[in-house]
Amino acid sequence: MRHERSDRRQSAYTDLGLGVAFHGRQEIAGWKARADSLIDNVHVTVRAAHRDGRRITVDAVYAGHLKGAPKPFAVRMTTLLNLDGSRCRIVSDEDHYSLGTVLAQSGLPADWTPSGN
């Protein structure tokens, strides 16, 4: 049980486009599975990456096709990765992108939500 609390405290994923955060491997894996089930051909193309101490900044293009949307999307995204001090493992990941742009490029209204939500 103690290991689970430590994992929850040390790893985090934040999707700032949607305004949600997840902690620990189980929550993060659940979010990833849900996102994969909602977006066909989801992928990230890295354009550049920079490291400064314990922080890595990644400039990328986030792309895919929301299920049920008439068109695919491809938007700029910046990811901030924070590393732990000793093992250079990722302890937090923040994805910054515009959900409004994703929806507009997809041909969906700004208030669209996946079915079942």
Side-chain angles (χ1 to χ4, degrees):
M1 190 68 143
R2 185 174 186 182
H3 175 70
E4 184 177 331
R5 281 195 298 267
S6 174
D7 180 49
R8 180 175 176 80
R9 189 172 51 244
Q10 294 209 7
S11 59
Y13 170 70
T14 304
D15 183 323
L16 291 167
L18 291 174
V20 295
F22 300 90
H23 300 89
R25 291 179 185 206
Q26 187 173 0
E27 282 185 18
I28 294 167
W31 173 248
K32 169 83 169 89
R34 184 168 189 276
D36 288 348
S37 74
L38 295 172
I39 307 169
D40 286 328
N41 195 30
V42 64
H43 59 282
V44 173
T45 303
V46 175
R47 300 292 187 196
H50 310 279
R51 181 172 179 179
D52 184 14
R54 293 185 186 174
R55 175 163 276 190
I56 298 172
T57 303
V58 180
D59 296 316
V61 175
Y62 173 46
H65 195 143
L66 289 165
K67 291 185 179 175
K71 299 182 289 186
F73 66 89
V75 298
R76 290 192 56 161
M77 178 174 74
T78 300
T79 297
L80 302 177
L81 303 172
N82 289 304
L83 308 175
D84 71 5
S86 59
R87 296 176 292 183
C88 289
R89 291 187 183 191
I90 297 170
V91 293
S92 69
D93 173 335
E94 294 179 2
D95 286 343
H96 299 254
Y97 64 94
S98 169
L99 177 60
T101 303
V102 168
L103 295 175
Q105 286 185 10
S106 297
L108 296 168
D111 62 351
W112 180 85
T113 57
S115 60
N117 285 350

